[in-house]
Amino acid sequence: MTQAHHVVVEVNGVKREADVEPRLLLVHFLRENLGLTGSHIGCDTTSCGACTVLLDGKAVKSCTVLAVQADGRKVTTIEGLGADGKLDRVQEGFVAKHGLQCGFCTPGMVISAYALLQENPDPTEEEIKTAISGNICRCTGYESIIESVKHAAKAGRRRKAPSRPSRRRS
Amino acid sequence: MSVGFVDEEQDPDVRFVRGAGRYVDDIKLEGMQHLYVVRSPYARARVLSVKGGITGDELKATMESVGEDAGGRSTVSFPVLSASYVSYVGQPVAAVLGGDKYEAADKAEEVDVQYEPLKPVMDPERSLESEPIHPGTESNLVAAAELGKDFELKAPVEVDETLRMERIAPNPMETKGMVASYDGSLLTVYASTQSPFSWREGLAGSLGLKEESVRVVQMDTGGGFGSKGGIYPEYVVAAYAAMKTKRPVKWSESRYENLLATNMGRGVRGRMKVYADRKGKLKGLKADLLVDVGAYPLGGGAWTAKWIASQLVGPYAVPKAYATAKAVLTNKVNMGPYRGAGRPEAAFFMERMMDRIADETGVDAAEVRLRNATTRRTISPLGMEAPPSRRFFMEALRAFKYSSRKKKEKVGLSFFMLIPAAYGGESAKLAVKGGRVKVWMGGSSHGQRHDVFAKKLVSEELGVPQDVIDFQHTDTAAISGGVGSWGSRTAILGGGALVEASRSLKAAAKKELGKGYSPARILEGDYEAEAFFKPKDMLNTLGANLATARLTKEGNAVVEEVLSFYDAGKVLNQFMLESQVTGGVAQGVGEVMYERAVYSEDGQLLTASIADAGVIHATEMPKSVVMTAAHRSTLPHGAKGVGESPTIGVPPAATRALEVLLGRRFTTLPIEPEKLWALDVSDGGRTR
């Protein structure tokens, strides 16, 4: 084992520290060291998006980030969405429109959709498709997922105040 | 009995969106080790020596044929760990244990395997003239079948064509994996599986254990599509390692390993010849099939060729038919079931010929099909029983608005028959305790959301609300027997078993409670009922697809829309059915345009990432419209199978739509990308 590095990462609002090997992937850090198994590993080529998390608010594939690269930064995983035991509106959308079957791609899909709606609260269908085109689902044929994201966007517009200030669309 | 990993009282949708699904790789047990498998880098080689780790000299076990493709025994045995020779890239030769995945992978570097590479047999067309890949055997022929009677015929229209469906990796989003733990007498296996009972049988058989000393518990399972029904060498090694070390062992493969060493579907060539009159009425059909079964003919290899040949006639009538079919070995990972498993091959071959007859005779493609459809139940000259099809297909054409769409758009059509895998039946169990009803089925949901129809059926039968019903993952310790989820069978067979178990539970409660009986009183008591449902009637059902294709402004041909019209009997849940079908449409279109396993001449898998394997993305998905014809079946709940219908019906319809759009004849799936464009985008080239 090569020399361990000390990392401090804020995960879902909580500061977490660990000594990790430099080669440790962020997704393994989250799953194995912290027990946050909601981020899934579906491939080894950054193709499937099941491991998608937010790193400083941006959607990234945590299989292609080293834990040491997350040092001093903020990570939000699927477990960190929603508050007070309630689902986030994106999660609610996926429940309302059954945007899933086997559930394996779901956490990554939800995070990608969440990131999209932060940037663009009122996406077109094409924009939704593009936003989730780095996430593979083998079960649904994507239609119910797209409907789920639309549902979440609509709920967000109804609520008017998004959970964080969103940037205007350029 | 619950092992406590999965909170089955919580709605699965809610669990999954919270990231609270519990898959095999999420399990952590005290003292658990990780297994890493050392694999052959050669497609064919002699193994001269293996030093380090668990080897085939230590674990002298062979694979049992269990699960969906289980069947005939072959003379070639499939070693769990090969000690003498290897037959495909990725074949396990040794295994090591480590405290975590990284350590286990490091230790694998220390295993020294010496090989003497041999020239592999890669082309199934040349397999029979090549040296046998298994020492001590006479040839690479696995099975040969002859169906129907040979005939001589002169017909005004005679068309022949060689058609191919390339190999496809099933690619469930969750790769394969398991955790094994052993307490000195009981081996407990937590599994990502379509069939815990097949696993129990297979693991017990390979390890020489009694079935009672193996318990298989299904975890949340992230898709299977045929690939998780039987067992793989890695499962046996992981179970053995847990027994040997008396510590829990996890094996969880990477996507790369999944692609190298998971059974692949399709890989079939069909030489078809049809005879027809000038109006497109079939006079005869001849076929010669060649199936590439890969390196080890475990079960399915022995009968797939015959199985495909038997259903070539599909939903049509033909006076004469004759088919020959061969299954041959190559130095590739084994062939196995992939959603449809033989049914899509037969439908693609036959439907392509229907379109050829339409082109040769000038008769409309729908009319050719209707002319050959049937008005009564038939048994084809190749031995397959089919329900009357003409009326259903006329219904489908109306639902598609075929005549008007054909005038405006580039359309392709397919008619087909779905033969659900009804053999063996299926089990279900109910247990009422503490005011809740637990429900099990022998075949396991791995993404189909069987919980939805299961709760509905039990609620309707018992008269209790759905929210007191907990759908359980299959556990061989909780239910006394079962088969598995594949072949469009679980809603019809598992559903039938649920109805029967509910009725017998209700009868027991009525007997006990007498006049005091009410559904609410059931919940106050302790009751159990189990049923094994074996239908007697033929359950073959019909389906039709219509696909449209267009050119993008860049000149690329794409499938624009897919309409499905399936006879699913009484629909148990419309939304789940539509979601199943649309997911299948994605796979069907993927099969036409993108999905393929490509090997180099020396046997290396070139499509070794999920991106290269061609799995469809959101941006490539056509519009899907799902319609059903609800013609009740004779089963207690009236349902019919549907899960595989889209992978059967979509490929021929989408291929035809692209063919009509581009004016090129397509005979091989997937269609090569260089054939899917046009210079002239003025016709049909509406912008995206």
Side-chain angles (χ1 to χ4, degrees):
Chain A
M1 177 165 152
T2 43
Q3 204 190 335
H5 286 243
H6 190 71
V7 295
V8 184
V9 188
E10 189 185 314
V11 180
N12 300 332
V14 181
K15 196 176 270 188
R16 310 293 294 258
E17 297 184 46
D19 292 321
V20 301
E21 282 190 71
R23 64 178 176 173
L24 184 72
L25 299 174
L26 177 58
V27 68
H28 286 134
F29 175 70
L30 296 169
R31 291 178 52 84
E32 307 293 336
N33 296 47
L34 306 185
L36 295 169
T37 53
S39 304
H40 296 150
I41 304 169
C43 75
D44 39 21
T45 49
T46 327
S47 310
C48 84
C51 65
T52 306
V53 299
L54 300 177
L55 183 63
D56 290 335
K58 289 253 181 240
V60 298
K61 293 178 177 176
S62 62
C63 70
T64 312
V65 177
L66 295 167
V68 292
Q69 290 176 294
D71 188 22
R73 302 171 75 177
K74 290 180 184 174
V75 172
T76 306
T77 70
I78 189 71
E79 291 92 344
L81 291 195
D84 308 324
K86 282 195 176 148
L87 300 178
D88 179 82
R89 65 186 159 94
V90 181
Q91 292 169 310
E92 278 173 359
F94 275 72
V95 173
K97 295 291 174 186
H98 294 295
L100 59 94
Q101 282 178 29
C102 81
F104 198 81
C105 76
T106 310
M109 282 286 181
V110 169
I111 293 281
S112 288
Y114 181 91
L116 166 71
L117 297 183
Q118 290 294 322
E119 294 270 328
N120 176 1
D122 188 16
T124 64
E125 184 161 320
E126 287 310 309
E127 286 169 334
I128 295 172
K129 285 184 183 175
T130 304
I132 61 166
S133 64
N135 296 73
I136 300 176
C137 169
R138 188 66 159 159
C139 296
T140 63
Y142 302 101
E143 276 194 359
S144 60
I145 293 173
I146 293 161
E147 289 306 310
S148 301
V149 181
K150 284 185 193 167
H151 188 274
K154 207 171 158 189
R157 289 199 299 279
R158 260 204 315 274
R159 221 173 286 168
K160 276 181 190 161
S163 38
R164 262 186 241 169
S166 62
R167 269 176 251 163
R168 276 191 186 284
R169 291 166 68 190
S170 49
Chain B
M1 263 314 192
S2 171
V3 290
F5 288 121
V6 181
D7 176 5
E8 278 147 335
E9 287 191 23
Q10 219 187 109
D11 179 80
D13 277 335
V14 175
R15 282 201 300 117
F16 290 135
V17 301
R18 282 183 190 277
R22 287 291 171 263
Y23 301 88
V24 158
D25 199 31
D26 303 338
I27 297 175
K28 254 191 179 174
L29 296 177
E30 190 65 33
M32 190 171 77
Q33 309 166 90
H34 290 259
L35 185 92
Y36 188 94
V37 173
V38 177
R39 300 172 184 283
S40 168
Y42 298 107
R44 186 168 171 234
R46 275 187 203 99
V47 176
L48 303 176
S49 67
V50 186
K51 287 184 188 129
I54 301 167
T55 67
D57 286 329
E58 176 185 339
L59 175 57
K60 291 190 173 70
T62 56
M63 297 300 294
E64 292 287 305
S65 177
V66 294
E68 180 175 1
D69 59 353
R73 287 255 7 77
S74 136
T75 50
V76 178
S77 65
F78 182 13
V80 169
L81 293 169
S82 189
S84 53
Y85 66 98
V86 286
S87 306
Y88 61 93
V89 171
Q91 183 170 2
V93 289
V96 293
L97 293 165
D100 62 27
K101 287 176 184 175
Y102 292 74
E103 192 189 84
D106 287 347
K107 284 195 174 170
E109 298 288 323
E110 295 161 17
V111 176
D112 179 34
V113 188
Q114 295 296 318
Y115 298 95
E116 182 192 333
L118 300 167
K119 188 175 161 42
V121 174
M122 299 308 295
D123 182 358
E125 301 281 355
R126 302 179 64 178
S127 170
L128 293 181
E129 69 206 45
S130 304
E131 188 188 358
I133 66 166
H134 296 295
T137 58
E138 286 182 4
S139 89
N140 290 324
L141 181 69
V142 172
E146 192 177 358
L147 288 80
K149 278 199 194 104
D150 201 0
F151 59 87
E152 298 224 5
L153 190 63
K154 279 262 168 258
V157 178
E158 295 184 16
V159 188
D160 54 62
E161 189 88 89
T162 299
L163 301 155
R164 281 188 181 82
M165 287 182 110
E166 302 279 7
R167 279 192 150 208
I168 289 186
N171 265 319
M173 289 318 296
E174 181 205 21
T175 55
K176 306 197 303 295
M178 63 174 260
V179 171
S181 123
Y182 185 62
D183 67 3
S185 61
L186 181 71
L187 173 71
T188 303
V189 174
Y190 305 101
S192 173
T193 179
Q194 297 172 230
S195 171
F197 286 95
S198 299
W199 278 49
R200 186 177 71 172
E201 184 190 348
L203 289 171
S206 285
L207 291 167
L209 303 170
K210 287 184 175 155
E211 286 199 15
E212 306 87 84
S213 33
V214 182
R215 175 186 180 187
V216 181
V217 183
Q218 190 206 18
M219 299 294 293
D220 282 331
T221 297
F225 309 111
S227 68
K228 294 178 181 172
I231 62 164
Y232 289 85
E234 294 89 341
Y235 303 170
V236 181
V237 186
Y240 168 79
M243 294 177 73
K244 180 186 172 185
T245 61
K246 306 269 193 317
R247 284 172 63 186
V249 169
K250 178 190 280 185
W251 174 71
S252 162
E253 66 182 352
S254 68
R255 178 62 57 186
Y256 176 62
E257 292 179 287
N258 178 271
L259 288 160
L260 286 187
T262 302
N263 297 346
M264 291 193 188
R266 318 290 188 259
V268 183
R269 180 269 285 153
R271 254 186 226 126
M272 301 283 288
K273 181 165 188 180
V274 289
Y275 304 78
D277 68 18
R278 289 193 202 287
K279 289 177 176 170
K281 180 104 175 130
L282 277 173
K283 297 292 171 199
L285 163 73
K286 282 189 189 186
D288 177 55
L289 307 184
L290 185 70
V291 179
D292 177 356
V293 300
Y296 296 93
L298 208 64
W303 59 264
T304 297
K306 186 178 178 184
W307 158 242
I308 299 170
S310 72
Q311 40 183 319
L312 279 170
V313 174
Y316 305 114
V318 59
K320 292 184 165 80
Y322 175 68
T324 50
K326 284 191 178 81
V328 298
L329 297 167
T330 57
N331 287 113
K332 299 172 194 167
V333 69
N334 302 344
M335 183 207 67
Y338 169 63
R339 197 172 186 171
R343 303 163 183 87
E345 293 89 324
F348 181 72
F349 296 157
M350 191 62 188
E351 289 301 282
R352 292 277 60 215
M353 298 315 287
M354 286 305 200
D355 289 329
R356 284 296 311 270
I357 294 173
D359 292 343
E360 296 296 323
T361 58
V363 178
D364 174 80
E367 191 52 41
V368 169
R369 286 169 167 86
L370 283 179
R371 275 179 196 168
N372 292 293
T374 58
T375 52
R376 68 187 68 170
R377 186 174 280 219
T378 51
I379 294 179
S380 83
L382 303 178
M384 185 57 72
E385 194 173 358
S389 59
R390 187 180 158 84
R391 186 177 291 181
F392 172 81
F393 291 135
M394 294 187 56
E395 218 181 319
L397 292 172
R398 281 194 298 274
F400 292 151
K401 299 188 169 58
Y402 172 76
S403 311
S404 66
R405 294 203 68 154
K406 197 195 163 219
K407 281 178 202 147
K408 291 179 288 197
E409 294 168 271
K410 309 296 184 189
V411 306
L413 194 65
S414 73
F415 288 173
F416 67 90
M417 176 167 72
L418 167 70
I419 306 159
Y423 54 86
E426 192 53 279
S427 65
K429 180 180 169 179
L430 307 183
V432 177
K433 198 176 183 144
R436 299 197 72 83
V437 186
K438 286 189 175 178
V439 175
W440 294 264
M441 286 195 294
S444 308
S445 178
H446 43 285
Q448 302 90 337
R449 299 297 307 275
H450 294 149
D451 56 299
V452 176
F453 79 73
K455 286 182 186 185
K456 176 183 147 86
L457 288 174
V458 172
S459 163
E460 284 172 1
E461 290 293 329
L462 293 184
V464 302
Q466 288 200 25
D467 59 13
V468 303
I469 302 169
D470 302 320
F471 183 79
Q472 307 291 303
H473 287 52
T474 310
D475 177 348
T476 59
I479 180 167
S480 58
V483 179
S485 258
W486 51 67
S488 309
R489 73 198 310 275
T490 302
I492 48 178
L493 305 177
L498 279 171
V499 172
E500 285 196 346
S502 301
R503 287 177 186 173
S504 78
L505 190 145
K506 192 172 169 178
K510 273 189 172 165
K511 198 174 167 193
E512 189 189 304
L513 298 166
K515 283 185 179 163
Y517 166 84
S518 74
R521 293 283 307 274
I522 295 181
L523 294 175
E524 290 167 15
D526 271 11
Y527 298 100
E528 264 192 28
E530 201 168 331
F532 210 107
F533 179 65
K534 289 186 179 175
K536 291 178 190 75
D537 294 348
M538 175 193 74
L539 298 173
N540 298 350
T541 187
L542 300 167
N545 280 99
L546 182 140
T548 66
R550 67 173 175 86
L551 291 174
T552 65
K553 61 184 171 185
E554 299 85 7
N556 294 312
V558 294
V559 179
E560 180 164 39
E561 186 175 0
V562 174
L563 279 67
S564 304
F565 184 78
Y566 299 153
D567 183 5
K570 182 172 185 295
V571 175
L572 300 179
N573 180 291
Q574 186 68 29
F575 177 85
M576 288 301 163
L577 181 142
E578 287 178 17
S579 187
Q580 266 295 303
V581 171
T582 297
V585 168
Q587 290 178 316
V589 172
E591 189 159 359
V592 172
M593 305 199 50
Y594 313 105
E595 289 191 51
R596 163 164 50 170
V598 184
Y599 288 87
S600 68
E601 271 179 31
D602 61 354
Q604 298 296 326
L605 181 67
L606 302 178
T607 47
S609 80
I610 197 168
D612 293 326
V615 173
I616 208 166
H617 296 83
T619 42
E620 297 152 345
M621 180 67 194
K623 186 180 172 198
S624 163
V625 178
V626 182
M627 296 172 282
T628 49
H631 302 306
R632 275 189 74 99
S633 70
T634 55
L635 300 179
H637 55 357
K640 292 178 184 173
V642 76
E644 291 163 311
S645 292
T647 51
I648 305 170
V650 173
T655 303
R656 176 61 171 180
L658 292 162
E659 187 170 270
V660 172
L661 175 71
L662 294 166
R664 298 186 181 120
R665 200 180 296 293
F666 297 129
T667 56
T668 297
L669 293 190
I671 301 167
E672 297 92 321
E674 58 270 24
K675 290 185 182 162
L676 282 172
W677 59 273
L679 281 176
D680 177 7
V681 297
S682 60
D683 180 20
R686 279 175 289 137
T687 53
R688 257 185 166 169

